[in-house]
Amino acid sequence: MDEIITPYDRLSLIRHRDRPTVRDYIPMIFTDVYELHGDRLYSDDKAIFGGIGRLDGLPVTIIAEVKGRDLSENKEVNFAMPHPEGYRKALRLAHQAEKFHRPVINFIDTPGAYCGVEAEERGQGEAIARCLYEFMQLKVPVISVVLGEGGSGGALALGVCDELAMLENSIYSVISPRGFASLIWKDASKEREACNIMHITAEDAVRLGVAEQIIMEAEGGAHTDPEITAENIHRFLSNSLNDKMAKDIDELLVSRYNKFRSIGEFTLMDSSENQGG
Amino acid sequence: MTMEELFRQVTQKFYDDQPKEPDFKCPRCQKSTSAKTMQENMQVCPFCGYSSRLTARDRLRMTCDKDSFTETEAGMTSVNPIDFPDYEDKIAELRDKTGLAEAVVTGICTIHNEKCVIAVMDSHFMMASMGSVVGEKIARAFELAGKEKLPIVIFTASGGARMQEGLVSLMQMAKTSGAAAKYSEQGGLYITVMTDPTTGGVTASFASLGDVIIAEPKVLIGFAGRRVIEGTIKQQLPEDFQSAEFMLENGFVDMIVERRNMRRTIAHLIRLHREEVR
Ligand SMILES: [Zn+2]
């Protein structure tokens, strides 16, 4: 693309009504897919897909945040905003994958974890914390792909992995641009301004050491040609999996930990400077 | 006028001239209490038991054995990882105002002679939001506890992620949770004490990962902001929503401990875990 595409343009692209969702991509990338339901504790959260299938013939576990393709689908999947039981389903399937030595492939596409009364009652904070804790130690390769919106802790819950890729137009942020605008400027309509200072694009994520790869979308956005985009995702997953499967798992765990351990910037000042500023 | 009367008059005038500390108005029961009474009562509301927000300095004084605290990573301070407008100025201003280098103070101390690593978050510093420095100091505290084979006690308080550090602040959730996991693998005891307010990305990371999770009475604990939820459901939430008591009831807190019993409880818990059962 020749013209300059702004972060806000990307936000518009990932909100395009024809933007493919993980439900579109799964049959184009995997074979023998069986969906597995429920967290065995409370219920089955439809905002998170869980299942097993094959990638290039190799059994894998697939965990994904699910956007709907229209309003009625979106109501069913709660606009891809998981409840705690969704994250607990993810954890159950991650441990199952570990037992059977299957790698885990996560797809991230959420505005954020659901903010509601029941979500608080059932421990949204604990559910996300537990994902971070368990995925950090999971003894199988974990690969994550941000398909559209990577919103806050609800996205990070599936983002502790050995390699993170982002689709070309996807975003990854500490809070939604709208939430940011209303928090910083008390004006949710300043979404465009928020996009400009938040550093939320795939390039930003690579520069900040959060993402390793950018997966190209079809010209004009993923919706213009979902097959090509799916092929690109497939190619990334095949390469990444080959690479990670060849490594010793303990080595993989050390570099997974070190990646997150090293993100952050700070300086050490003379502590005498601290006295009274 | 006798000497005694004169003395009384002078001292009375002296007290009248002192700037009076404003009364404490309890955000839970709305009743007012004099600053002096609050101080005598460890900053706990005498009417409803709400354990009000403390500075890190006061918390350490109330928690650690006298002169036992040694600070670690004292000079660590923030930079501006995503070039957020005015962020450095805001940090510098808060450093001056609070005397703190950042929103968490870490170190080693004894509590009733039990040696431990301690971390105290201070909501007076940018609502103790978690940016790079908070994440790094918490991770280093876990690493220190692991290396020295000490238990770790973290007093949590936070408004959530540090917006001014963008995606970098989000990643601190993974960093601190990973450090907690690594420490746990080494067999160490991690006690969380949730204080007012423990919310957002801190609730959704290391705060919720303690082996034992204590909360102070009536404090706010939750993931999403109350107003965000009220906006979603378009109705007002009950008063005790997201309180320590609510979290206990729903199974996310082990016990609620009053401030006057905190030192003793922590020391007992450490002792109970010291003898290895293997
Ligand atoms: Zn009160």
Side-chain angles (χ1 to χ4, degrees):
Chain A
M1 268 171 269
D2 289 321
E3 74 268 44
I4 297 205
I5 176 161
T6 68
Y8 187 72
D9 295 336
R10 297 194 192 278
L11 192 65
S12 313
L13 276 174
I14 61 174
R15 284 178 181 164
H16 194 283
R17 52 189 291 272
D18 294 329
R19 176 115 181 140
T21 72
V22 75
R23 292 269 183 204
D24 299 303
Y25 290 132
I26 283 174
M28 298 181 203
I29 297 171
F30 302 95
T31 55
D32 296 351
V33 175
Y34 288 86
E35 185 166 359
L36 303 174
H37 292 276
D39 66 348
R40 300 293 188 272
L41 296 162
Y42 181 77
S43 74
D44 183 43
D45 187 346
K46 295 180 177 57
I48 289 198
F49 167 95
I52 47 177
R54 290 179 191 275
L55 181 83
D56 307 327
L58 183 78
V60 294
T61 287
I62 307 160
I63 300 169
E65 286 158 338
V66 186
K67 286 232 164 125
R69 285 165 290 199
D70 54 40
L71 187 62
S72 86
E73 263 190 36
N74 259 320
K75 278 186 177 157
E76 195 165 310
V77 298
N78 196 34
F79 295 86
M81 292 183 281
H83 279 73
E85 49 272 25
Y87 295 113
R88 292 183 183 126
K89 170 163 74 175
L91 275 181
R92 176 175 81 84
L93 297 178
H95 285 134
Q96 188 191 63
E98 191 176 45
K99 174 177 173 186
F100 295 105
H101 308 286
R102 287 193 291 266
V104 177
I105 295 171
N106 290 326
F107 291 101
I108 296 167
D109 198 0
T110 179
Y114 188 62
C115 297
V117 176
E118 291 87 2
E120 294 292 318
E121 285 171 350
R122 298 198 286 273
Q124 190 70 285
E126 193 272 346
I128 293 170
R130 199 58 61 186
C131 277
L132 306 179
Y133 184 98
E134 298 288 340
F135 271 107
M136 194 68 86
Q137 306 183 95
L138 201 74
K139 291 187 170 57
V140 286
V142 182
I143 298 166
S144 300
V145 179
V146 186
L147 294 177
E149 271 182 287
S152 189
L156 179 62
L158 300 185
V160 174
C161 58
D162 300 305
E163 188 162 12
L164 180 83
M166 290 179 64
L167 285 196
E168 185 188 354
N169 293 311
S170 68
I171 64 168
Y172 199 179
S173 60
V174 65
I175 185 175
S176 71
R178 173 178 284 273
F180 181 90
S182 86
L183 206 71
I184 301 285
W185 300 303
K186 315 279 170 236
D187 182 357
S189 69
K190 290 192 171 170
E191 212 173 23
R192 187 186 293 267
E193 290 88 330
C195 285
N196 286 336
I197 64 168
M198 285 178 75
H199 299 256
I200 56 176
T201 65
E203 286 94 344
D204 291 322
V206 169
R207 201 185 56 248
L208 294 168
V210 173
E212 281 75 30
Q213 296 283 336
I214 298 174
I215 300 172
M216 296 308 282
E217 296 181 13
E219 181 92 33
H223 61 281
T224 63
D225 196 338
E227 280 83 8
I228 287 207
T229 311
E231 257 173 48
N232 293 344
I233 298 172
H234 191 157
R235 192 171 323 111
F236 160 74
L237 289 175
S238 302
N239 289 340
S240 178
L241 214 54
N242 273 336
D243 177 45
K244 304 304 168 204
M245 295 294 278
K247 291 204 168 107
D248 176 58
I249 186 63
D250 292 325
E251 208 180 295
L252 215 53
L253 285 173
V254 169
S255 56
R256 190 187 302 166
Y257 179 78
N258 286 343
K259 169 186 165 174
F260 292 96
R261 183 67 188 80
S262 63
I263 300 176
E265 287 179 41
F266 51 87
T267 175
L268 302 171
M269 59 177 184
D270 180 1
S271 52
S272 61
E273 209 185 297
N274 185 15
Q275 307 304 318
Chain B
M1 191 184 286
T2 63
M3 275 305 279
E4 217 172 292
E5 276 167 343
L6 181 69
F7 181 71
R8 202 175 300 137
Q9 220 173 49
V10 170
T11 46
Q12 190 58 51
K13 182 162 184 334
F14 174 78
Y15 281 115
D16 289 349
D17 287 350
Q18 291 300 304
K20 248 186 105 175
E21 273 197 73
D23 283 354
F24 170 81
K25 183 156 188 260
C26 177
R28 296 291 178 277
C29 71
Q30 315 301 328
K31 289 185 181 139
S32 291
T33 310
S34 75
K36 186 164 170 281
T37 309
M38 282 300 282
Q39 182 162 11
E40 287 163 359
N41 205 30
M42 302 178 94
Q43 307 294 343
V44 174
C45 172
F47 299 103
C48 74
Y50 164 65
S51 308
S52 73
R53 296 173 189 182
L54 297 178
T55 61
R57 182 195 299 248
D58 281 348
R59 174 72 67 182
L60 288 166
R61 196 161 45 212
M62 273 182 207
T63 308
C64 308
D65 295 339
K66 197 165 182 296
D67 298 328
S68 74
F69 177 72
T70 312
E71 189 170 359
T72 53
E73 320 295 348
M76 195 187 296
T77 186
S78 295
V79 294
N80 194 352
I82 63 163
D83 297 319
F84 195 89
D86 306 326
Y87 183 45
E88 287 111 327
D89 295 345
K90 186 150 192 199
I91 293 285
E93 193 187 306
L94 277 163
R95 276 213 305 262
D96 281 352
K97 204 174 127 195
T98 61
L100 296 165
E102 248 291 343
V104 65
V105 178
T106 58
I108 293 185
C109 73
T110 62
I111 302 173
H112 281 304
N113 296 319
E114 296 300 327
K115 196 173 178 189
C116 60
V117 170
I118 187 168
V120 176
M121 301 180 81
D122 190 329
S123 61
H124 301 87
F125 194 103
M126 222 180 259
M127 270 319 289
S129 56
M130 177 158 63
S132 298
V133 174
V134 171
E136 184 68 23
K137 285 178 88 167
I138 293 289
R140 288 192 188 188
F142 277 117
E143 286 162 357
L144 177 64
K147 187 168 144 258
E148 302 289 330
K149 300 200 184 320
L150 289 173
I152 180 167
V153 182
I154 304 186
F155 288 82
T156 62
S158 183
R162 177 86 46 98
M163 293 300 142
Q164 293 84 346
E165 294 192 22
L167 196 50
V168 175
S169 83
L170 185 69
M171 295 302 131
Q172 304 310 309
M173 292 169 62
K175 179 195 281 188
T176 53
S177 300
K182 209 166 186 184
Y183 171 73
S184 185
E185 246 179 12
Q186 297 170 308
L189 167 68
Y190 167 28
I191 299 174
T192 307
V193 184
M194 293 184 170
T195 75
D196 200 52
T198 296
T199 64
V202 166
T203 301
S205 63
F206 64 92
S208 293
L209 296 171
D211 296 298
V212 178
I213 301 180
I214 297 173
E216 288 195 307
K218 300 282 168 82
V219 302
L220 173 75
I221 303 167
F223 172 65
R226 190 188 181 91
R227 264 170 300 171
V228 177
I229 300 173
E230 285 179 340
T232 311
I233 62 169
K234 309 265 187 285
Q235 64 190 57
Q236 274 223 311
L237 291 161
E239 188 58 37
D240 67 342
F241 185 68
Q242 294 183 323
S243 63
E245 293 72 17
F246 170 95
M247 293 300 278
L248 182 74
E249 183 69 28
N250 284 300
F252 295 99
V253 156
D254 287 296
M255 58 181 95
I256 294 176
V257 174
E258 286 179 42
R259 207 163 267 176
R260 62 192 167 89
N261 296 326
M262 193 63 79
R263 268 169 54 80
R264 198 177 343 151
T265 306
I266 292 170
H268 277 161
L269 287 170
I270 291 176
R271 264 169 232 152
L272 276 165
H273 287 83
R274 197 171 41 204
E275 291 136 59
E276 289 192 22
V277 187
R278 268 191 198 154

